[in-house]
Amino acid sequence: MSTLERTRDWLRAHPLALDAALAAGVLVCMMAGSFVDPHGADGTTWGARTPDALSLALMVLGAAALVFRRRAPMKILAATVAVTLVELVTGDPRAPLAMCAVVALYTVASATDRPTTWRVGLATMTVLTAVAMLAGPLPWYAQENLGVFAWTGMAAAAGDAVRSRRAFVHAIKERAERAERTREEEARRRVAEERLRIARDLHDVVAHHIALVNVQAGVASHVMDKRPDQAKEALAHVREASRSALNELRATVGLLRQSGDPEAPTEPAPGLARLDELADTFRNAGLPVEVARSDHGTALPAAVDLAAYRVIQEALTNVQKHTGAGAKAEVSVVRVGPNVEVTVLDNGPGQDTAPQEGGGHGLLGMRERVTAIGGSCTAGPRYGGGFRVHAILPVKHRAPALGDPV
């Protein structure tokens, strides 16, 4: 940092010292001007003159008042105008005391609003110019009188321009800060959405496959001694379910990798095209599943297709976990106008052992996933026993806009 920059920073941190230096400079200029006479005997010649004691005292008072110009701009302006008026009336020859009033008027204009600047500026110009023209030894059309009018007007205009520029720069900075905060909030919101989506995917994958592994492992343990062939078949299903779980987990976690990490798997997300394969995994685990579809030929967006698959997967997993022996499930996928309706029914014991939202995140995640694509999902006990999951999914999925609620 250069010496000039350090000095400027120090003066900004100590405004009173800056004002004191400004007051001293104004005092020196007024003193120099009071000792010079632009009207010599031979016309516009320069010669030395000596101001009287009253003029010197008024100059000192006017310059001293400028030290406190930031603390009370209006009061300082009134004080400098007062000493200037006294000088205009009594000074012969006059000292350039209007200089301190010009600085005070600039301070008022830069610290207040435009209407105040206009009112105060016009009043100051009118009073000082009128007194300068009507009082004192000089004729009303003298250059010094017109100079009072010009300098006070330029001071008001310059102060207003500085205030406007300061307000403009402040508005730009505030707008930039607000935009930065908005970007940060939007980034945090999108991160939270992505975390929630990944959490739902992980839950769907883990809950489904671990439930199958648990059932098949129980079957293998039960028939290991008496029917080893059936135990081997159950263990094969365990191996297949665990392999599928690992593959889907690897695909999901691959989304979290950085650019320098190994390439993530490019296998597409599951959808209704794999519904029969999904039903077979549950049938192999001992849960009879009937599938009825009337949506053939309907092309679903990827998000809707994945949501339908996950709803069916979660619903069948709940049937597998919460119903007893002899239960069976029915899955239907039907195209109804602009929507696809997915229904999963079971004939389990009903509300007593049905999955409750307080006991896990399956139903909650299912509803959040469907709601996120503009659909609706209901789940509850059936009349006469069993449980019903019903989801309505839009065929044409609209991506959420930037300001849409999550």
Side-chain angles (χ1 to χ4, degrees), residues 162-237:
V162 170
R163 179 197 53 77
S164 299
R165 182 182 180 279
R166 188 184 301 128
F168 177 71
V169 172
H170 178 73
I172 291 178
K173 290 182 179 179
E174 184 178 0
R175 191 180 301 114
E177 293 174 357
R178 185 166 57 250
E180 184 65 25
R181 288 194 301 268
T182 302
R183 283 194 296 268
E184 292 176 357
E185 292 172 359
E186 178 64 18
R188 287 194 295 268
R189 185 181 71 84
R190 291 190 178 276
V191 169
E193 290 178 359
E194 186 65 14
R195 287 176 177 173
L196 182 60
R197 187 190 67 79
I198 293 174
R200 287 199 297 259
D201 285 343
L202 289 176
H203 173 270
D204 294 341
V205 171
V206 172
H208 165 61
H209 291 290
I210 296 302
L212 294 181
V213 168
N214 180 61
V215 171
Q216 295 293 347
V219 172
S221 175
H222 182 70
V223 301
M224 179 67 72
D225 297 330
K226 298 180 180 180
R227 285 175 287 178
D229 293 338
Q230 188 174 353
K232 290 181 180 180
E233 183 180 355
L235 291 176
H237 290 314

Side-chain angles (χ1 to χ4, degrees), residues 170-384:
H170 178 73
I172 291 178
K173 290 182 179 179
E174 184 178 0
R175 191 180 301 114
E177 293 174 357
R178 185 166 57 250
E180 184 65 25
R181 288 194 301 268
T182 302
R183 283 194 296 268
E184 292 176 357
E185 292 172 359
E186 178 64 18
R188 287 194 295 268
R189 185 181 71 84
R190 291 190 178 276
V191 169
E193 290 178 359
E194 186 65 14
R195 287 176 177 173
L196 182 60
R197 187 190 67 79
I198 293 174
R200 287 199 297 259
D201 285 343
L202 289 176
H203 173 270
D204 294 341
V205 171
V206 172
H208 165 61
H209 291 290
I210 296 302
L212 294 181
V213 168
N214 180 61
V215 171
Q216 295 293 347
V219 172
S221 175
H222 182 70
V223 301
M224 179 67 72
D225 297 330
K226 298 180 180 180
R227 285 175 287 178
D229 293 338
Q230 188 174 353
K232 290 181 180 180
E233 183 180 355
L235 291 176
H237 290 314
V238 169
R239 183 172 61 253
E240 182 63 26
S242 61
R243 183 185 298 112
S244 299
L246 289 175
N247 290 336
E248 293 199 32
L249 283 174
R250 188 179 299 111
T252 303
V253 174
L255 298 175
L256 304 177
R257 291 177 176 171
Q258 302 296 327
S259 59
D261 294 339
E263 184 178 357
T266 57
E267 181 181 357
L272 292 179
R274 297 174 55 183
L275 180 57
D276 293 335
E277 178 184 343
L278 176 66
D280 289 339
T281 61
F282 284 97
R283 295 188 186 108
N284 294 332
L287 175 66
V289 178
E290 296 182 3
V291 178
R293 300 185 61 177
S294 63
D295 66 319
H296 298 290
T298 301
L300 298 178
V304 178
D305 200 20
L306 175 61
Y309 180 88
R310 293 304 189 195
V311 167
I312 297 173
Q313 183 185 52
E314 176 63 26
L316 293 178
T317 300
N318 287 336
V319 175
Q320 183 74 54
K321 290 166 59 178
H322 296 284
T323 59
K328 66 177 181 178
E330 299 177 3
V331 178
S332 66
V333 182
V334 182
R335 170 71 182 269
V336 181
N339 301 318
V340 169
E341 297 189 8
V342 175
T343 306
V344 180
L345 306 175
D346 70 78
N347 63 344
Q351 191 171 1
D352 293 338
T353 58
Q356 302 297 320
E357 290 188 22
H361 301 284
L363 295 180
L364 178 61
M366 187 189 304
R367 288 196 179 104
E368 290 179 346
R369 182 186 294 277
V370 173
T371 303
I373 60 173
S376 62
C377 180
T378 58
R382 298 172 60 194
Y383 179 76

Side-chain angles (χ1 to χ4, degrees), residues 99-120:
M99 190 178 298
C100 60
V102 169
V103 175
L105 179 58
Y106 166 84
T107 304
V108 171
S110 63
T112 58
D113 53 12
R114 180 162 294 171
T116 302
T117 299
W118 277 99
R119 290 195 298 268
V120 175

